[in-house]
Amino acid sequence: MESRLVATMRLLHTHGISFPVSMRQMAVCMWIVEGDPDLSLFSLFLWHNENAAWASDTMPSTWQDDQIADARYFFHVAKVFVRLTNRSTRYALLDIPTQRILATYINKDAVRRRVDLCLSAVAPMTAELAFQIALWFARYHEARECCEFLNSFFGEPMVLPEPGTSPKAIYSSYVELRGRALDSHGYNDGNGLEWRYYDEILNTLSPVMFTRLVCCRAQAATILCEGDERQWWRTAMALYDVFPTIIGNSKSIPSSPERICANDYYRFRDE
């Protein structure tokens, strides 16, 4: 199905037709027959594409490659979730590029059952995927779930640092917590990849990604009307001042907690 879709899009492109597709425009159907499912019985259907248009000079030079990449993304996500659903062990050890696919999906298209599948099946988890899950909970005002997830990610409850603690010291202490959490679980796929894989996963907790996680924790404090809400935001803003997550001409769109932190929407800096 993937190759047929890509071939069809390339044909349209050769005739100067822009045909961007998204997951919401795709549906996979299987003809019901007795016995084991046959991949040849699956069919891909595309809904009406209101974004189809004649290509123009105003489009970026990479528009064809971009549209092909978006089409392939649908199948990449499907393959990952099939792997998670059919895993033979408690957890699926996913490499960093595969977890990045899941992070992108949760940011764009996720529904609760897919988030729950990631929570139950993916470990150890990259900081990027953890951020998108925490942000998903905060976005839908599931603040308690957000806090519980972050506590699980770091291996113990997130607590506010002592006043005056430097941002670098805060970051280092949480990297240590995350390292201990990884060591304590003992994930192993039986292929001797355990320790090298842990180092790669731990290194995804960069200062910027940690700042984003703290922004999510601060947002959860606001939703829950916690008494230490102000201190969480001050901590997030102190981290942001040293490790800004919104940098220069970055193409990534900042999350709501990041924008609150960057612009001090709640005016906590001067209190």
Side-chain angles (χ1 to χ4, degrees):
M1 287 187 290
E2 180 179 354
S3 60
R4 290 178 180 176
L5 175 60
V6 170
T8 300
M9 293 182 66
R10 291 195 189 283
L11 177 62
L12 293 172
H13 290 166
T14 60
H15 291 281
I17 298 174
S18 170
F19 196 84
V21 296
S22 67
M23 294 184 70
R24 290 186 175 89
Q25 293 171 317
M26 299 185 187
V28 176
C29 298
M30 183 185 73
W31 303 105
I32 303 300
V33 296
E34 293 183 0
D36 295 332
D38 182 347
L39 290 178
S40 65
L41 299 174
F42 285 85
S43 297
L44 176 69
F45 293 92
L46 299 178
W47 309 126
H48 170 68
N49 191 345
E50 62 183 12
N51 295 317
W54 292 108
S56 68
D57 294 337
T58 61
M59 299 174 65
S61 60
T62 60
W63 69 271
Q64 297 183 28
D65 291 337
D66 293 343
Q67 290 184 10
I68 294 297
D70 289 342
R72 291 190 185 279
Y73 167 73
F74 169 82
F75 295 96
H76 291 166
V77 171
K79 291 171 185 175
V80 175
F81 279 118
V82 167
R83 177 179 173 186
L84 295 182
T85 302
N86 296 325
R87 67 192 185 280
S88 58
T89 56
R90 180 178 179 185
Y91 298 112
L93 292 179
L94 302 182
D95 60 21
I96 292 175
T98 302
Q99 293 202 39
R100 187 167 294 122
I101 290 173
L102 290 177
T104 301
Y105 168 76
I106 291 175
N107 183 42
K108 290 182 176 180
D109 304 289
V111 294
R112 178 58 188 263
R113 68 180 182 275
R114 299 300 189 191
V115 174
D116 288 342
L117 181 57
C118 290
L119 289 173
S120 64
V122 179
M125 187 178 290
T126 64
E128 181 182 5
L129 179 55
F131 165 62
Q132 292 300 340
I133 291 176
L135 181 61
W136 191 94
F137 283 132
R139 182 183 298 139
Y140 290 100
H141 284 232
E142 298 189 28
R144 294 194 186 280
E145 289 83 352
C146 179
C147 293
E148 291 172 1
F149 168 68
L150 289 172
N151 293 343
S152 174
F153 180 76
F154 288 107
E156 57 185 74
M158 292 186 74
V159 295
L160 284 165
E162 293 293 328
T165 305
S166 71
K168 292 183 178 179
I170 297 171
Y171 168 65
S172 296
S173 67
Y174 272 93
V175 170
E176 183 177 346
L177 285 180
R178 178 59 177 157
R180 290 206 299 265
L182 289 173
D183 290 340
S184 66
H185 280 81
Y187 311 108
N188 197 327
D189 68 349
N191 294 319
L193 298 176
E194 183 175 5
W195 294 111
R196 177 182 63 81
Y197 193 67
Y198 279 7
D199 289 340
E200 292 176 358
I201 293 294
L202 183 58
N203 288 339
T204 66
L205 186 60
S206 65
V208 166
M209 201 57 67
F210 173 66
T211 300
R212 288 172 173 160
L213 291 171
V214 175
C215 286
C216 289
R217 180 59 183 84
Q219 182 72 353
T222 294
I223 296 170
L224 294 171
C225 298
E226 293 180 346
D228 53 11
E229 171 197 4
R230 287 175 172 79
Q231 192 55 39
W232 273 115
W233 280 113
R234 291 192 187 108
T235 300
M237 288 186 287
L239 288 165
Y240 180 86
D241 289 344
V242 178
F243 313 121
T245 64
I246 307 171
I247 302 173
N249 297 321
S250 174
K251 294 181 180 180
S252 61
I253 300 175
S255 66
S256 175
E258 290 175 81
R259 292 195 299 271
I260 292 171
C261 184
N263 298 287
D264 190 17
Y265 284 154
Y266 296 149
R267 298 294 181 264
F268 287 156
R269 285 185 185 274
D270 300 328
E271 290 186 4

